[in-house]
Amino acid sequence: MSQRTGTVKRTIAEVVAERKTQMSPGATFVEAFAKDGFDTSVDYDVTITDSLTSSRRKPRYPSRNMLKVVDLSRDPQDYHWHESPPRPDDPAVDGADLRREAANHFHRSPIPPLLTTTAWVQVPDTLWEDPVSFAQFIDYRLVVRLATAENHTILRGEGGLLTMPDLGRLTDPGPFASTILAACNEVEQMGSTADGLIVNPADYYRLLGSGSLMRDVEDNGVFIVRTRLVDPGTAIVGDFGHGALLFDAGRSTIGFAEPPPGTFAEPGVALRAEIWERVVVNLPTCFFVVTL
């Protein structure tokens, strides 16, 4: 230990290892490409959509940012807990008239099989000869495409939020000005807090331009994700912070591959990226698919 600094000097190998962990997915792939050429396939020990950054002054967040992520490579587990609403033939539960969630049933279930999320890009001819541009193309096109595919997995794919039959459906705003506010109230009546809203950009801007609803919702602490993957006229409202999880394999791959027919308009060199994940909802009574 140094008498002057009180720290242990790091070896060159440790410094190099730290720098590699800070490299972007594109830079890591380009480094491997310099050795292996078009046979390059890189395995990452992280989910690379988590590396997505943007210099936009106005961020646009992916659906993954809504969810608590469980990295199964670092925190392995086989089961998850969840609740279900009361059944018609259930006996009366004390206090359920005021605390609806008191009548819920509690469950422990195996984590469902993770789903593969895949994205493709076609590399512009000879771009691979420019390492900087090639790395940027991977970071800002392939990873962005993968984030869009991930939105599909989380929202519309097998087991996605919009396909879950246990989530509530709400079409009547009741005493409120909108079904969004009605759903926020319903979540709080279940003892939770609506902290997230997923909405199509067409509806976001329509509501933004016709009143203060979107600003009021955001000012009230609701995190808004805008995505085409939710149909216009529909939105998802819920307690994303406590009521849902994204089980994540904590690994990714990027490599050259032959795309399926119909992937691109013309032949060319293609890159494929893949991650593995699955969304589960612990508290389905605290989520609503609303009709706007």
Side-chain angles (χ1 to χ4, degrees):
M1 181 174 288
S2 168
Q3 295 293 323
R4 297 179 62 186
T5 64
T7 60
V8 178
K9 291 183 177 179
R10 295 179 297 167
T11 66
I12 293 176
E14 288 172 332
V15 172
V16 171
E18 179 180 325
R19 285 178 180 170
K20 283 191 173 183
T21 63
Q22 297 172 347
M23 290 173 65
S24 72
T28 301
F29 189 87
V30 168
E31 184 179 80
F33 178 77
K35 301 175 185 176
D36 300 328
F38 293 102
D39 293 324
T40 302
S41 180
V42 176
D43 295 323
Y44 300 83
D45 62 358
V46 294
T47 297
I48 56 176
T49 47
D50 247 352
S51 71
L52 193 62
T53 60
S54 176
S55 58
R56 289 188 183 123
R57 293 179 297 277
K58 177 184 178 181
R60 186 175 179 184
Y61 298 102
S63 298
R64 118 179 320 261
N65 286 35
M66 282 284 199
L67 300 158
K68 179 180 179 181
V69 177
V70 179
D71 185 339
L72 295 175
S73 70
R74 291 161 176 78
D75 298 304
Q77 63 185 87
D78 297 318
Y79 296 88
H80 69 101
W81 64 268
H82 56 103
E83 297 181 17
S84 62
R87 296 183 287 265
D89 58 347
D90 283 347
V93 174
D94 291 344
D97 54 335
L98 290 177
R99 297 178 294 109
R100 299 179 191 174
E101 71 277 10
N104 285 355
H105 295 267
F106 298 86
H107 308 276
R108 171 181 179 266
S109 297
I111 296 171
L114 301 187
L115 302 170
T116 303
T117 297
T118 305
W120 292 89
V121 291
Q122 201 168 50
V123 185
D125 191 33
T126 71
L127 183 69
W128 48 81
E129 296 175 3
D130 179 346
V132 174
S133 295
F134 191 22
Q136 291 175 342
F137 179 71
I138 292 170
D139 289 334
Y140 292 100
R141 201 61 197 131
L142 179 57
V143 178
V144 169
R145 284 280 184 94
L146 188 61
T148 299
E150 182 178 50
N151 273 350
H152 188 277
T153 296
I154 292 172
L155 298 174
R156 301 181 75 99
E158 176 190 352
L161 292 172
L162 290 170
T163 70
M164 293 183 179
D166 292 339
L167 268 59
R169 263 61 181 175
L170 193 60
T171 60
D172 184 359
F176 302 96
S178 77
T179 46
I180 289 175
L181 297 181
C184 289
N185 169 65
E186 287 297 315
V187 173
E188 294 211 8
Q189 295 297 337
M190 289 299 302
S192 294
T193 299
D195 62 1
L197 166 66
I198 305 178
V199 65
N200 190 286
D203 292 312
Y204 176 86
Y205 288 110
R206 175 176 62 83
L207 294 169
L208 190 67
S210 61
S212 63
L213 178 62
M214 288 294 98
R215 296 185 189 90
D216 291 343
V217 167
E218 287 189 289
D219 289 346
N220 199 42
V222 177
F223 187 87
I224 298 178
V225 164
R226 308 186 308 277
T227 173
R228 302 162 293 172
L229 275 300
V230 171
D231 290 335
T234 300
I236 305 173
V237 178
D239 187 344
F240 289 86
H242 286 178
L245 297 169
L246 184 65
F247 287 109
D248 186 331
R251 58 189 180 89
S252 317
T253 65
I254 296 178
F256 293 100
E258 185 66 29
T263 302
F264 299 110
E266 58 187 356
V269 175
L271 278 175
R272 177 181 63 198
E274 291 186 323
I275 55 178
W276 296 267
E277 60 199 350
R278 183 95 178 222
V279 64
V280 301
V281 172
N282 308 97
L283 301 174
T285 55
C286 296
F287 283 83
F288 291 89
V289 178
V290 304
T291 301
L292 300 175

